[in-house]
């Protein structure tokens, strides 16, 4: 029987018994109240047996004792009220969880199921899971992109709100990447799949959501762990009241008020509400336990490229040789033309820079590339060499730089040689993310005591990028294993949050107390390993997530303290004979409703 289903018996039996009681049929009324209680008690007993077999000792036992004791001493009305209280609480919890998870379950409802594929004999509709890389798809108006891919024909006007939370449509032209799960708002366009459906962004997000919905919060387990102590206090107070007064009904009243629904309901409702609020702002948190961990973070380790920075190199400037071989436009045109043949991130920066300046690029010939070092080839009548200083120096004699115009310290540089002569240097930059300084300041204000930058970049580059930022340490030339060691070392100061986006960040994300990945452009490995994923490619989601977590935990604790405090006060009053079992049950009902409604405040901004 479901949480919603068990409420039917007390909901029907309680008013029926009251009607019979008012009509003077007291025995029939008692039978109606017993009939209202027994199904709930039976379901509760089954749940307790199942929990005990798993080695879990839960607070549900107190509710079972209160109903059983009330029936034994003839307080069937009190037993029925407790049954309605418990069953109604379970129903309310299911309702509250459903409301809190609506932002995340919307992702599941939008799961793309079908795709229109170009086959040799024309268009054919196929299941989305049948799409494989290199398939050419037609994305019609209103369709959800079934897989990640690249626009090859037409212009895509996309609603990315389910993925990123951004309300405004996004435009993607030919050559641009499109993530699965986006809705086509404009005319039909054609997409070439780059991933299978199960490996695409949206499928990964769905897996994270499903994992989040299966989670159980540590605070809930903590409540269960201390259930034996709470039950011992309850039984001691009930036994003392019975012993001193000689009235068993006082002990029953104590048991009735001791039903610990504030712990059973308020904690999961508040934490799931926090998860939903975070999802509404583009932060996917994998489980309720992450909310608690995030609220207690005291240290943060940040990756640089793609996390602190945009992770995309841009053309920052051109420094010509002295004396010059050609002007800036000619140098960039030749370099970018050759770099069209290279997949390197610096090559993309040069091509984009040339396109931005409206330069016409030629098709290169006789291209030879040494991965990670440089490239050479012919562009029209010219022989061009691009790359790092050592790569170019191995092919031509380079001048001493002492007499040349300097470039910014630590900036990435592409050296250019044309027809065997040093022609100049193209300076690139990886821009700091907008608002990075403010983000670090906000994190400090939220209780983060240490912020560390850990990057695989060279020391000069890392130092130049971190200049003026409030880091406690800047650690360069770090491997994936080094980052794990940094996380372990920082843990001595308190719980650590690791933020990264690359495959090499995945081990550190797993090692940290909480791992956060940038999911929009980050690797699948980092997103799957992390405890939370920033679906909006903005660093300001980080302090927002911490703030949401702290509020959810604060609301949960408020609900628990207030609820248990009021319950203890009611137990004392019942022990003194000031509350009957029926009055105690009604009081506990009011307490339960109040704490669950308070827990739902975690949904609000």
């Amino acid at each position: 029987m479901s949480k919603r289903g068990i409420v039917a018996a007390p909901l029907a039996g309680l008013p029926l018994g009251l009607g019979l009681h008012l009509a003077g049929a007291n025995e029939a009324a008692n039978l109606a109240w017993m009939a209202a209680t027994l199904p709930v008690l039976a379901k509760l007993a089954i749940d307790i047996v199942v929990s005990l077999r798993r080695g879990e000792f839960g607070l549900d036992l107190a509710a079972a004792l209160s109903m059983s004791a009330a029936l034994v001493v003839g307080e069937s009305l009190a037993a029925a009220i407790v049954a309605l209280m418990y069953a109604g609480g379970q129903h309310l919890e299911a309702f509250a969880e459903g409301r809190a998870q609506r932002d995340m379950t919307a992702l599941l409802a939008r799961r793309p199921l079908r795709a229109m594929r170009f086959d040799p004999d024309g268009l054919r509709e196929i299941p989305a899971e049948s799409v494989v890389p290199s398939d050419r798809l037609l994305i019609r108006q209103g369709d959800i992109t079934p897989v990640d891919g690249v626009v090859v024909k037409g212009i895509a006007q996309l609603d990315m709100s389910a993925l990123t939370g951004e309300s405004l449509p996004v435009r993607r032209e030919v050559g641009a990447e499109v993530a699965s799960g986006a809705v086509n708002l404009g005319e039909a366009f054609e997409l070439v799949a780059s991933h299978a459906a199960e490996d695409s962004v949206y499928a990964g997000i769905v897996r994270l959501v499903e994992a989040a919905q299966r989670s159980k919060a540590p605070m809930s387990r903590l409540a269960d762990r201390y259930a034996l102590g709470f039950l011992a206090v309850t039984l001691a107070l009930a036994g003392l009241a019975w012993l001193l007064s000689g009235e068993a009904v006082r002990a029953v009243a104590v048991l009735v008020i001791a039903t610990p629904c504030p712990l059973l309901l308020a904690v999961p409702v508040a934490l799931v509400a926090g998860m939903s609020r975070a999802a509404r702002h583009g932060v996917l948190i994998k489980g309720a336990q992450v909310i608690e961990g995030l609220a207690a973070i005291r240290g943060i380790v940040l990756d640089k490229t793609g996390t602190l920075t945009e992770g995309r190199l841009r053309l920052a400037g051109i420094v010509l040789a002295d004396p010059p071989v050609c002007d800036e436009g000619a140098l960039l045109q030749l370099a970018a033309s050759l770099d069209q043949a290279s997949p390197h991130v610096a090559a993309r920066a040069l091509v984009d820079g040339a396109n931005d300046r409206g330069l016409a690029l030629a098709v290169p010939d006789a291209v030879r590339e040494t991965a990670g070092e440089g490239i050479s080839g012919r562009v029209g009548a010219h022989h061009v060499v691009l790359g790092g200083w050592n790569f170019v120096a191995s092919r031509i004699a380079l001048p001493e730089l002492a007499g040349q115009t300097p470039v910014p310290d630590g900036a990435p540089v592409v050296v250019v040689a044309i027809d065997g002569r040093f022609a100049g240097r193209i300076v690139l930059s990886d821009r700091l993310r907008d608002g990075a300084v403010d983000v670090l300041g906000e994190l400090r204000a939220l209780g983060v005591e240490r912020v560390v930058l850990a990057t695989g970049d060279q020391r000069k580059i890392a130092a130049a990028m971190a200049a003026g930022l409030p880091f406690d340490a800047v650690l360069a030339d770090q491997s994936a294993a080094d980052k794990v060691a940094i996380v372990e070392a920082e843990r001595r100061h308190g719980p650590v949050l690791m933020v990264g986006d690359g495959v090499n960040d995945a081990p550190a994300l797993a090692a940290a107390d909480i791992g956060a990945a940038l999911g929009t452009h980050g690797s699948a490995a980092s997103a799957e390993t992390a405890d939370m994923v920033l679906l909006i490619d903005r660093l300001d989601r980080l302090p927002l997530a911490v703030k949401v977590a702290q509020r959810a935990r604060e609301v949960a604790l408020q609900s628990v303290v207030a609820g248990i405090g009021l319950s203890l006060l009611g137990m004392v009053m019942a022990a003194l004979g000031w509350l009957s079992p029926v009055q105690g049950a009604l009081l506990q009902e009011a307490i339960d409703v109040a704490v669950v409604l308070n827990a739902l405040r975690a949904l609000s901004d």
Side-chain angles (χ1 to χ4, degrees):
M1 190 180 296
S2 67
K3 289 181 179 180
R4 291 184 171 91
I6 63 171
V7 76
L11 197 59
L14 187 59
L16 176 62
L18 288 173
L20 292 170
H21 176 73
L22 292 174
N26 292 333
E27 286 197 18
N30 284 328
L31 287 174
W33 289 329
M34 287 180 64
T37 304
L38 290 174
V40 179
L41 187 57
K43 172 67 166 58
L44 189 52
I46 293 171
D47 290 344
I48 290 171
V49 170
V50 171
S51 297
L52 290 175
R53 283 180 176 175
R54 291 199 303 259
E56 299 175 0
F57 189 91
L59 288 164
D60 289 338
L61 189 56
L65 283 175
S66 65
M67 280 184 268
S68 302
L71 290 176
V72 167
V73 300
E75 291 284 346
S76 54
L77 175 57
I81 293 174
V82 173
L84 179 62
M85 172 183 67
Y86 181 82
Q90 295 294 300
H91 176 83
L92 185 59
E93 179 184 11
F95 169 78
E97 287 179 348
R99 179 188 167 190
Q101 291 181 351
R102 68 185 184 276
D103 295 291
M104 293 187 295
T105 53
L107 288 168
L108 301 177
R110 288 164 49 101
R111 189 196 311 253
L113 301 176
R114 311 291 294 177
M116 294 295 294
R117 185 175 68 190
F118 286 96
D119 284 349
D121 55 349
L123 277 172
R124 188 160 67 95
E125 188 174 26
I126 62 171
E129 59 267 23
S130 299
V131 177
V132 297
S134 78
D135 276 354
R136 192 181 184 98
L137 308 175
L138 177 68
I139 310 299
R140 301 164 298 186
Q141 187 174 43
D143 282 354
I144 299 173
T145 51
V147 296
D148 300 346
V150 176
V151 178
V152 293
K153 185 177 181 181
I155 296 175
Q157 296 283 351
L158 303 171
D159 174 5
M160 303 282 288
S161 58
L163 293 169
T164 67
E166 297 286 358
S167 58
L168 296 177
V170 174
R171 179 187 175 96
R172 294 286 187 266
E173 298 184 355
V174 172
E177 296 177 354
V178 172
S180 54
V183 179
N184 181 21
L185 300 177
E187 299 295 328
F189 66 92
E190 294 179 17
L191 184 84
V192 170
S194 57
H195 295 82
E198 63 181 7
D199 298 323
S200 292
V201 168
Y202 200 80
I205 292 173
V206 168
R207 285 194 293 272
L208 300 186
V209 172
E210 290 171 337
Q213 292 176 332
R214 291 192 298 266
S215 71
K216 182 181 180 184
M219 282 183 71
S220 301
R221 291 196 293 268
L222 187 65
D224 292 343
R225 196 178 304 145
Y226 288 97
L228 187 60
F230 183 86
L231 184 61
V233 171
T234 300
L235 292 175
L237 186 57
L240 188 62
W242 189 358
L243 180 65
L244 295 180
S245 67
E247 301 176 11
V249 71
R250 291 197 185 187
V252 173
V254 171
L255 290 173
V256 166
I257 298 177
T259 306
C261 287
L263 275 177
L264 293 173
L265 302 179
V267 172
V269 167
L271 297 183
V272 171
M275 291 165 59
S276 178
R277 183 184 166 201
R280 196 161 64 235
H281 291 285
V283 180
L284 183 59
I285 295 178
K286 291 187 182 181
Q289 71 275 13
V290 179
I291 289 279
E292 284 201 271
L294 195 58
I297 287 299
R298 290 295 173 266
I300 292 182
V301 178
L302 280 167
D303 174 49
K304 184 186 80 68
T305 304
T307 303
L308 182 65
T309 66
E310 293 180 347
R312 178 184 174 186
L313 290 176
R314 300 171 182 268
L315 181 63
I318 297 174
V319 180
L320 296 176
D322 186 14
V325 172
C326 59
D327 61 26
E328 288 188 7
L331 183 143
L332 180 58
Q333 185 179 38
L334 291 172
S337 295
L338 176 60
D339 256 345
Q340 291 177 108
S342 173
H344 195 276
V345 63
R348 181 174 178 179
L350 266 62
V351 173
D352 288 346
N355 288 332
D356 290 342
R357 296 190 183 193
L359 300 177
L361 302 183
V363 177
D365 188 27
V367 177
R368 293 180 178 273
E369 182 172 12
T370 302
E373 296 184 25
I375 186 171
S376 64
R378 299 199 65 82
V379 178
H382 301 283
H383 184 263
V384 183
V385 180
L386 309 175
W389 185 266
N390 291 336
F391 178 82
V392 179
S394 68
R395 284 154 176 79
I396 70 165
L398 289 175
E400 293 291 333
L401 287 180
Q404 300 287 329
T405 305
V407 299
D409 192 25
V413 173
V414 176
V415 180
V416 183
I418 299 174
D419 296 329
R421 299 173 61 193
F422 172 61
R425 289 161 290 169
I426 299 176
V427 183
L428 305 176
S429 67
D430 185 3
R431 286 198 322 188
L432 200 64
R433 285 184 180 270
D434 291 338
V437 177
D438 294 335
V439 165
L440 296 180
E442 285 184 59
L443 290 170
R444 296 279 190 187
L446 290 169
V448 174
E449 297 167 359
R450 282 182 60 81
V451 182
V452 174
L453 179 65
T455 176
D457 283 345
Q458 298 174 11
R459 192 170 305 278
K460 283 186 177 181
I461 295 175
M465 184 58 68
L469 296 177
F471 286 110
D472 294 287
V474 176
L475 305 173
D477 298 312
Q478 302 297 308
S479 65
D482 293 333
K483 290 182 179 181
V484 172
I486 291 168
V487 168
E488 297 290 351
E490 288 298 318
R491 190 173 279 124
R492 69 178 183 271
H493 301 290
V496 175
L497 169 67
M498 170 68 195
V499 188
D501 75 321
V503 174
N504 65 326
D505 295 321
L509 291 170
D513 296 281
I514 303 292
L518 276 76
T520 306
H521 298 299
S523 72
S526 63
E528 291 287 348
T529 304
D531 301 295
M532 54 184 277
V533 181
L534 309 185
L535 299 178
I536 296 180
D537 196 25
R538 283 164 37 188
L539 207 55
D540 63 358
R541 302 294 104 168
L542 201 56
L544 185 146
V546 175
K547 196 178 300 181
V548 167
Q550 290 180 349
R551 175 172 170 77
R553 188 173 185 274
E554 179 185 355
V555 168
L557 289 174
Q558 284 175 356
S559 299
V560 169
V561 171
I564 295 300
L566 290 172
S567 295
L568 288 172
L569 179 61
M571 288 164 64
V572 172
M573 293 172 65
L576 294 174
W578 296 349
L579 289 175
S580 69
V582 171
Q583 291 170 330
L586 293 173
L587 174 62
Q588 186 60 53
E589 179 81 12
I591 293 171
D592 292 341
V593 172
V595 297
V596 171
L597 291 177
N598 181 69
L600 284 172
R601 290 192 304 115
L603 274 172
S604 61
D605 291 328

